């Protein structure tokens, strides 16, 4: 059973910064990729950023230049550094991981952490 535990969500003013953390219950290199989705009320879930096993990263156009995904393999943790936050970034942020094992794909997701950007 894979567990992904997010932390770091908070209320922050526009222009502020937050760092989200996602701690995995096993080696992050056991996954094909890890990343972050977000979902705001009344909006579709959006892929925010992802990092593959070999370290390639991808960021949504809406967050490029402001958000950065990274990882610490010693801590089995993936991070999302969020700078220059805007009210439109308000959402529940979910960490995810996926893997290909024994001929099947498996997806895992954390419980989510709330980010609210408001003055």
């Amino acid at each position: 059973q894979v567990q992904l535990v997010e932390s770091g969500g908070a209320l922050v003013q526009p222009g502020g910064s937050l760092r989200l953390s996602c701690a995995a219950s096993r080696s992050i290199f056991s996954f094909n990729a890890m990343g972050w989705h977000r979902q705001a009320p009344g909006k579709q879930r959006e892929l925010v950023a992802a990092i593959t096993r070999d370290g390639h990263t991808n960021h949504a156009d809406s967050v490029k230049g402001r958000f950065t995904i990274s990882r610490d393999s010693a801590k089995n943790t993936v991070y999302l550094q969020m700078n220059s936050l805007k009210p439109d970034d308000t959402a529940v942020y979910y960490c995810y991981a996926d893997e290909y094992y024994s001929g099947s794909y498996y997806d895992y997701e954390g419980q989510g952490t709330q980010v609210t950007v408001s003055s």
Side-chain angles (χ1 to χ4, degrees):
Q1 183 76 10
V2 173
Q3 289 188 322
L4 302 172
V5 180
E6 302 105 328
S7 61
L11 170 64
V12 63
Q13 292 187 341
S17 297
L18 282 175
R19 188 178 77 160
L20 304 184
S21 300
C22 172
S25 57
R26 68 180 202 220
S27 171
I28 60 176
F29 291 128
S30 67
F31 303 113
N32 292 332
M34 295 185 70
W36 296 89
H37 291 112
R38 68 183 179 185
Q39 186 155 24
K43 294 186 179 180
Q44 285 191 328
R45 183 165 291 202
E46 175 187 22
L47 175 63
V48 177
I51 184 166
T52 64
R53 180 184 290 120
D54 57 5
H56 288 113
T57 62
N58 183 44
H59 298 80
D61 288 343
S62 58
V63 306
K64 277 181 182 176
R66 301 188 299 122
F67 291 12
T68 303
I69 190 169
S70 64
R71 65 188 179 189
D72 184 337
S73 58
K75 296 181 179 180
N76 289 332
T77 299
V78 172
Y79 302 100
L80 185 67
Q81 178 66 44
M82 305 187 295
N83 299 327
S84 302
L85 282 160
K86 306 174 181 179
D88 282 351
D89 295 318
T90 296
V92 178
Y93 284 70
Y94 298 91
C95 175
Y96 79 90
D98 59 60
E99 66 174 341
Y100 182 77
Y101 178 76
S102 296
S104 298
Y105 286 95
Y106 298 89
D107 300 308
Y108 309 99
E109 189 174 81
Q111 81 285 353
T113 186
Q114 177 71 47
V115 172
T116 303
V117 185
S118 175
S119 54

